[in-house]
Amino acid sequence: YDVVCRRALGAGQSSGPSTAPGACFRLLQYEFLVVKCTKGDFEGLELFVDPYFREQFQIPHPTEHYAKLLESVPEVYVGSRVHLIAIVELLCAEVSRDVGWRVISSLK
């Protein structure tokens, strides 16, 4: 195995909502491990490991819906990039809805 610690600095640019796969993913700031299998049946397999995955999506005073969704998110993520991006996109969309609702409420 080759293991690399990566740091994403959230350097992606956002000029508004994007439907491009991974758009939200590029805006986050976090650290994670990338484990590459170098031999055997799993040679070439790349796994992403984030020991604090759920924690990174906690927000103060979440809606009941978001709190339930977050409970289903693994505390530690171990999996492929494709699955990671899908989970992050879903969580970002839900956070956006949750925060958007609060902004609208506070403006009334």
Side-chain angles (χ1 to χ4, degrees):
Y1 301 100
D2 286 334
V3 180
V4 177
C5 181
R6 291 195 183 160
R7 178 177 292 174
L9 301 175
Q13 298 295 317
S14 177
S15 59
S18 174
T19 57
C24 176
F25 190 68
R26 290 188 297 272
L27 298 174
L28 300 176
Q29 296 183 18
Y30 57 98
E31 292 182 344
F32 57 94
L33 299 174
V34 178
V35 179
K36 292 183 183 180
C37 301
T38 57
K39 296 180 183 177
D41 293 340
F42 297 104
E43 184 174 356
L45 179 67
E46 187 175 77
L47 295 173
F48 287 70
V49 179
D50 184 342
Y52 306 104
F53 187 64
R54 183 187 308 161
E55 180 179 305
Q56 298 191 51
F57 293 95
Q58 293 176 336
I59 60 174
H61 313 293
T63 62
E64 184 177 338
H65 174 75
Y66 185 75
K68 285 181 181 179
L69 178 65
L70 196 58
E71 287 176 14
S72 69
V73 172
E75 187 173 325
V76 176
Y77 179 82
V78 178
S80 72
R81 177 184 176 93
V82 171
H83 288 129
L84 178 61
I85 289 174
I87 294 168
V88 168
E89 288 290 332
L90 172 66
L91 290 169
C92 286
E94 291 299 321
V95 166
S96 179
R97 276 184 227 144
D98 188 50
V99 172
W101 172 81
R102 290 181 197 183
V103 170
I104 291 168
S105 296
S106 67
L107 293 176
K108 290 182 178 181

